[in-house]
Short mmCIF file of all heavy atoms in Angstrom, two decimals:
data_model
loop_
_atom_site.label_atom_id
_atom_site.label_comp_id
_atom_site.label_asym_id
_atom_site.label_seq_id
_atom_site.Cartn_x
_atom_site.Cartn_y
_atom_site.Cartn_z
N GLU A 241 -60.22 30.02 -0.81
CA GLU A 241 -60.36 31.26 -1.61
C GLU A 241 -61.79 31.56 -1.93
O GLU A 241 -62.15 32.71 -2.05
CB GLU A 241 -59.57 31.23 -2.82
CG GLU A 241 -58.08 31.26 -2.64
CD GLU A 241 -57.23 30.93 -3.91
OE1 GLU A 241 -57.83 30.87 -5.02
OE2 GLU A 241 -56.06 30.69 -3.80
N LYS A 242 -62.66 30.56 -1.90
CA LYS A 242 -64.10 30.87 -2.29
C LYS A 242 -64.99 30.37 -1.09
O LYS A 242 -65.67 29.46 -1.17
CB LYS A 242 -64.46 30.01 -3.49
CG LYS A 242 -63.65 30.33 -4.74
CD LYS A 242 -64.05 29.42 -5.85
CE LYS A 242 -63.11 29.68 -7.01
NZ LYS A 242 -63.37 28.81 -8.18
N PRO A 243 -64.89 31.16 -0.04
CA PRO A 243 -65.68 30.78 1.20
C PRO A 243 -67.16 30.84 0.91
O PRO A 243 -67.67 31.72 0.18
CB PRO A 243 -65.30 31.82 2.25
CG PRO A 243 -64.67 32.88 1.54
CD PRO A 243 -64.26 32.40 0.22
N SER A 244 -67.90 29.87 1.42
CA SER A 244 -69.36 29.82 1.27
C SER A 244 -70.09 30.75 2.04
O SER A 244 -69.58 31.16 3.13
CB SER A 244 -69.79 28.37 1.59
OG SER A 244 -71.17 28.33 1.67
N LYS A 245 -71.20 31.20 1.56
CA LYS A 245 -72.04 32.12 2.32
C LYS A 245 -72.53 31.45 3.69
O LYS A 245 -72.84 32.06 4.60
CB LYS A 245 -73.31 32.50 1.60
CG LYS A 245 -74.24 31.32 1.27
CD LYS A 245 -75.35 31.81 0.43
CE LYS A 245 -76.26 30.61 0.03
NZ LYS A 245 -77.38 31.03 -0.77
N HIS A 246 -72.45 30.07 3.75
CA HIS A 246 -72.78 29.41 5.01
C HIS A 246 -71.75 29.46 6.00
O HIS A 246 -71.96 28.97 7.18
CB HIS A 246 -73.15 27.93 4.65
CG HIS A 246 -74.36 27.75 3.76
ND1 HIS A 246 -75.59 28.14 4.14
CD2 HIS A 246 -74.35 27.35 2.43
CE1 HIS A 246 -76.46 27.87 3.11
NE2 HIS A 246 -75.73 27.43 2.06
N MET A 247 -70.61 30.07 5.70
CA MET A 247 -69.57 30.15 6.75
C MET A 247 -69.67 31.42 7.56
O MET A 247 -68.75 31.89 8.14
CB MET A 247 -68.17 30.02 6.04
CG MET A 247 -67.90 28.72 5.56
SD MET A 247 -66.24 28.80 4.80
CE MET A 247 -66.28 27.28 3.86
N ASN A 248 -70.80 32.03 7.54
CA ASN A 248 -71.02 33.38 8.24
C ASN A 248 -70.48 33.24 9.64
O ASN A 248 -70.84 32.45 10.47
CB ASN A 248 -72.60 33.63 8.25
CG ASN A 248 -72.83 34.98 8.77
OD1 ASN A 248 -71.90 35.82 8.74
ND2 ASN A 248 -74.04 35.20 9.23
N GLY A 249 -69.53 34.21 9.85
CA GLY A 249 -68.96 34.35 11.22
C GLY A 249 -67.91 33.31 11.50
O GLY A 249 -67.24 33.49 12.50
N SER A 250 -67.56 32.53 10.63
CA SER A 250 -66.48 31.55 10.80
C SER A 250 -65.21 32.06 10.21
O SER A 250 -65.23 32.92 9.36
CB SER A 250 -66.87 30.15 10.09
OG SER A 250 -68.02 29.59 10.67
N LEU A 251 -64.10 31.54 10.60
CA LEU A 251 -62.78 31.87 10.06
C LEU A 251 -62.24 30.76 9.27
O LEU A 251 -62.58 29.59 9.48
CB LEU A 251 -61.88 32.19 11.22
CG LEU A 251 -62.22 33.47 12.07
CD1 LEU A 251 -61.18 33.62 13.21
CD2 LEU A 251 -62.31 34.65 11.25
N LEU A 252 -61.35 31.08 8.38
CA LEU A 252 -60.68 30.10 7.52
C LEU A 252 -59.20 30.02 7.78
O LEU A 252 -58.60 31.09 8.08
CB LEU A 252 -60.93 30.54 5.98
CG LEU A 252 -62.37 30.50 5.58
CD1 LEU A 252 -62.54 31.22 4.19
CD2 LEU A 252 -62.98 29.28 5.55
N LEU A 253 -58.70 28.84 7.69
CA LEU A 253 -57.23 28.60 8.02
C LEU A 253 -56.71 27.60 6.80
O LEU A 253 -57.30 26.53 6.68
CB LEU A 253 -57.12 27.92 9.30
CG LEU A 253 -55.81 27.72 9.87
CD1 LEU A 253 -54.98 29.03 10.06
CD2 LEU A 253 -55.89 27.06 11.31
N SER A 254 -55.69 28.04 6.23
CA SER A 254 -55.07 27.18 5.19
C SER A 254 -54.14 26.18 5.81
O SER A 254 -53.38 26.50 6.73
CB SER A 254 -54.23 28.07 4.23
OG SER A 254 -55.14 28.88 3.48
N LYS A 255 -54.22 24.95 5.28
CA LYS A 255 -53.26 23.88 5.71
C LYS A 255 -52.08 23.86 4.74
O LYS A 255 -52.27 24.12 3.56
CB LYS A 255 -53.91 22.55 5.57
CG LYS A 255 -55.00 22.18 6.63
CD LYS A 255 -55.38 20.77 6.28
CE LYS A 255 -56.50 20.38 7.21
NZ LYS A 255 -56.93 18.97 6.86
N PRO A 256 -50.86 23.52 5.19
CA PRO A 256 -50.66 23.26 6.58
C PRO A 256 -50.50 24.53 7.41
O PRO A 256 -50.14 25.61 6.83
CB PRO A 256 -49.17 22.65 6.53
CG PRO A 256 -48.56 23.15 5.26
CD PRO A 256 -49.76 23.37 4.36
N PHE A 257 -50.95 24.49 8.58
CA PHE A 257 -50.81 25.73 9.49
C PHE A 257 -49.83 25.42 10.60
O PHE A 257 -49.63 24.28 10.96
CB PHE A 257 -52.15 26.15 10.01
CG PHE A 257 -53.03 25.01 10.59
CD1 PHE A 257 -52.82 24.68 11.94
CD2 PHE A 257 -53.96 24.32 9.86
CE1 PHE A 257 -53.55 23.75 12.56
CE2 PHE A 257 -54.75 23.36 10.43
CZ PHE A 257 -54.54 23.01 11.77
N PHE A 258 -49.47 26.50 11.19
CA PHE A 258 -48.48 26.38 12.27
C PHE A 258 -49.13 26.85 13.63
O PHE A 258 -50.31 27.45 13.48
CB PHE A 258 -47.27 27.24 12.11
CG PHE A 258 -46.45 26.81 10.91
CD1 PHE A 258 -46.59 27.40 9.62
CD2 PHE A 258 -45.56 25.78 10.99
CE1 PHE A 258 -45.93 26.95 8.54
CE2 PHE A 258 -44.84 25.29 9.92
CZ PHE A 258 -45.00 25.89 8.69
N SER A 259 -48.59 26.53 14.72
CA SER A 259 -49.24 26.78 15.96
C SER A 259 -49.52 28.29 16.15
O SER A 259 -50.62 28.60 16.71
CB SER A 259 -48.17 26.32 17.10
OG SER A 259 -48.74 26.54 18.35
N LYS A 260 -48.69 29.18 15.69
CA LYS A 260 -48.95 30.57 15.81
C LYS A 260 -50.26 30.99 15.03
O LYS A 260 -51.04 31.78 15.59
CB LYS A 260 -47.76 31.39 15.36
CG LYS A 260 -47.79 32.87 15.51
CD LYS A 260 -46.50 33.49 15.06
CE LYS A 260 -46.63 35.00 15.24
NZ LYS A 260 -45.43 35.76 14.87
N GLU A 261 -50.37 30.45 13.88
CA GLU A 261 -51.61 30.72 13.06
C GLU A 261 -52.81 30.19 13.71
O GLU A 261 -53.88 30.85 13.81
CB GLU A 261 -51.50 30.17 11.65
CG GLU A 261 -50.38 30.82 10.84
CD GLU A 261 -50.08 29.88 9.60
OE1 GLU A 261 -49.78 28.70 9.77
OE2 GLU A 261 -50.26 30.47 8.42
N LEU A 262 -52.80 28.97 14.29
CA LEU A 262 -53.86 28.37 14.89
C LEU A 262 -54.31 29.21 16.14
O LEU A 262 -55.45 29.51 16.32
CB LEU A 262 -53.52 26.98 15.24
CG LEU A 262 -54.60 26.16 15.99
CD1 LEU A 262 -55.82 25.98 15.18
CD2 LEU A 262 -54.08 24.80 16.33
N SER A 263 -53.25 29.52 16.90
CA SER A 263 -53.50 30.36 18.13
C SER A 263 -54.20 31.69 17.78
O SER A 263 -55.16 32.05 18.46
CB SER A 263 -52.25 30.58 18.85
OG SER A 263 -52.41 31.38 19.94
N ALA A 264 -53.81 32.36 16.72
CA ALA A 264 -54.30 33.65 16.37
C ALA A 264 -55.89 33.43 15.97
O ALA A 264 -56.79 34.27 16.35
CB ALA A 264 -53.59 34.27 15.17
N LYS A 265 -56.17 32.39 15.18
CA LYS A 265 -57.55 32.17 14.79
C LYS A 265 -58.43 31.86 16.03
O LYS A 265 -59.55 32.34 16.15
CB LYS A 265 -57.61 31.04 13.76
CG LYS A 265 -56.96 31.28 12.43
CD LYS A 265 -57.66 32.37 11.64
CE LYS A 265 -56.87 32.51 10.29
NZ LYS A 265 -57.69 33.48 9.38
N LEU A 266 -57.91 30.98 16.88
CA LEU A 266 -58.65 30.58 18.06
C LEU A 266 -58.86 31.77 18.99
O LEU A 266 -60.03 31.99 19.49
CB LEU A 266 -58.07 29.41 18.76
CG LEU A 266 -58.05 28.11 18.04
CD1 LEU A 266 -57.24 27.12 18.79
CD2 LEU A 266 -59.38 27.60 17.82
N GLU A 267 -57.89 32.60 19.12
CA GLU A 267 -58.08 33.76 20.02
C GLU A 267 -59.04 34.74 19.44
O GLU A 267 -59.83 35.31 20.17
CB GLU A 267 -56.68 34.41 20.32
CG GLU A 267 -55.80 33.64 21.30
CD GLU A 267 -56.53 33.40 22.64
OE1 GLU A 267 -57.15 34.35 23.21
OE2 GLU A 267 -56.39 32.30 23.21
N ALA A 268 -59.10 34.86 18.16
CA ALA A 268 -60.03 35.80 17.47
C ALA A 268 -61.42 35.24 17.74
O ALA A 268 -62.44 36.05 18.09
CB ALA A 268 -59.68 35.93 15.97
N MET A 269 -61.66 33.95 17.53
CA MET A 269 -62.94 33.37 17.76
C MET A 269 -63.44 33.55 19.18
O MET A 269 -64.54 33.75 19.49
CB MET A 269 -63.00 31.87 17.33
CG MET A 269 -62.86 31.66 15.82
SD MET A 269 -64.10 32.53 14.83
CE MET A 269 -65.44 31.48 15.09
N LEU A 270 -62.50 33.23 20.14
CA LEU A 270 -62.80 33.22 21.52
C LEU A 270 -63.16 34.70 21.98
O LEU A 270 -64.00 34.91 22.77
CB LEU A 270 -61.69 32.63 22.33
CG LEU A 270 -61.67 31.05 22.20
CD1 LEU A 270 -60.34 30.58 22.77
CD2 LEU A 270 -62.80 30.40 22.86
N ARG A 271 -62.32 35.62 21.48
CA ARG A 271 -62.54 37.00 21.83
C ARG A 271 -63.96 37.48 21.41
O ARG A 271 -64.60 38.13 22.06
CB ARG A 271 -61.55 37.91 21.11
CG ARG A 271 -61.33 39.27 21.70
CD ARG A 271 -60.07 40.01 21.24
NE ARG A 271 -59.55 39.58 19.88
CZ ARG A 271 -58.43 38.89 19.68
NH1 ARG A 271 -57.81 38.44 20.74
NH2 ARG A 271 -58.04 38.55 18.64
N THR A 272 -64.30 37.20 20.17
CA THR A 272 -65.72 37.48 19.61
C THR A 272 -66.75 36.83 20.47
O THR A 272 -67.70 37.41 20.80
CB THR A 272 -65.81 37.03 18.11
OG1 THR A 272 -64.80 37.76 17.43
CG2 THR A 272 -67.12 37.31 17.60
N SER A 273 -66.56 35.55 20.84
CA SER A 273 -67.54 34.81 21.61
C SER A 273 -67.66 35.47 22.98
O SER A 273 -68.79 35.55 23.54
CB SER A 273 -67.12 33.28 21.85
OG SER A 273 -67.30 32.73 20.59
N ARG A 274 -66.59 35.83 23.57
CA ARG A 274 -66.62 36.49 24.85
C ARG A 274 -67.42 37.83 24.87
O ARG A 274 -68.23 38.12 25.79
CB ARG A 274 -65.19 36.85 25.38
CG ARG A 274 -64.49 35.61 25.82
CD ARG A 274 -63.07 36.06 26.35
NE ARG A 274 -62.27 34.75 26.56
CZ ARG A 274 -61.14 34.47 25.93
NH1 ARG A 274 -60.62 35.40 25.14
NH2 ARG A 274 -60.50 33.33 26.18
N LEU A 275 -67.25 38.62 23.78
CA LEU A 275 -68.02 39.80 23.61
C LEU A 275 -69.49 39.59 23.49
O LEU A 275 -70.30 40.20 24.05
CB LEU A 275 -67.44 40.60 22.40
CG LEU A 275 -66.09 41.19 22.54
CD1 LEU A 275 -65.61 41.85 21.21
CD2 LEU A 275 -66.16 42.28 23.67
N LEU A 276 -69.79 38.59 22.65
CA LEU A 276 -71.18 38.24 22.46
C LEU A 276 -71.75 37.61 23.75
O LEU A 276 -72.89 37.99 24.16
CB LEU A 276 -71.37 37.21 21.36
CG LEU A 276 -70.98 37.55 19.97
CD1 LEU A 276 -71.02 36.49 19.00
CD2 LEU A 276 -71.97 38.71 19.45
N ASP A 277 -70.99 36.86 24.51
CA ASP A 277 -71.57 36.23 25.74
C ASP A 277 -71.73 37.27 26.83
O ASP A 277 -72.55 37.07 27.73
CB ASP A 277 -70.62 35.17 26.24
CG ASP A 277 -70.73 33.91 25.38
OD1 ASP A 277 -71.66 33.76 24.62
OD2 ASP A 277 -69.77 33.10 25.35
N SER A 278 -70.89 38.32 26.83
CA SER A 278 -70.95 39.30 27.84
C SER A 278 -72.32 40.09 27.71
O SER A 278 -72.84 40.61 28.69
CB SER A 278 -69.84 40.31 27.80
OG SER A 278 -69.89 41.11 26.68
N ASP A 279 -73.02 40.02 26.51
CA ASP A 279 -74.25 40.75 26.32
C ASP A 279 -75.41 39.74 26.51
O ASP A 279 -76.54 40.22 26.54
CB ASP A 279 -74.33 41.22 24.81
CG ASP A 279 -73.41 42.38 24.69
OD1 ASP A 279 -73.02 43.05 25.58
OD2 ASP A 279 -72.92 42.56 23.49
N ALA A 280 -75.17 38.44 26.69
CA ALA A 280 -76.28 37.45 26.85
C ALA A 280 -75.97 36.60 27.95
O ALA A 280 -74.82 36.02 28.13
CB ALA A 280 -76.42 36.62 25.56
N ALA A 281 -76.90 36.43 28.83
CA ALA A 281 -76.77 35.38 29.95
C ALA A 281 -77.94 34.63 30.05
O ALA A 281 -79.07 35.05 29.75
CB ALA A 281 -76.54 36.25 31.23
N PRO A 282 -77.91 33.40 30.51
CA PRO A 282 -76.64 32.69 30.74
C PRO A 282 -76.00 32.26 29.54
O PRO A 282 -76.68 32.28 28.41
CB PRO A 282 -77.26 31.46 31.54
CG PRO A 282 -78.59 31.23 31.08
CD PRO A 282 -79.18 32.60 30.70
#
């Protein structure tokens, strides 16, 4: 509930978590990374 300012750009997940929640968080992070990576090479 009190995320630190050092978690900039990170996502939070409450335990216990289920596969569906984990998948959604990972896909969100990977989607963001893909967008950032498409603008920067290598």
Side-chain angles (χ1 to χ4, degrees):
E241 291 170 8
K242 300 176 186 175
S244 168
K245 64 181 178 181
H246 298 291
M247 291 183 196
N248 186 23
S250 299
L251 295 178
L252 300 168
L253 184 61
S254 293
K255 286 183 184 177
F257 52 82
F258 297 98
S259 184
K260 185 176 180 179
E261 296 165 300
L262 179 60
S263 177
K265 296 288 184 178
L266 291 174
E267 286 302 318
M269 292 303 284
L270 291 166
R271 196 170 27 257
T272 299
S273 290
R274 287 180 190 123
L275 290 172
L276 294 174
D277 287 341
S278 68
D279 293 335

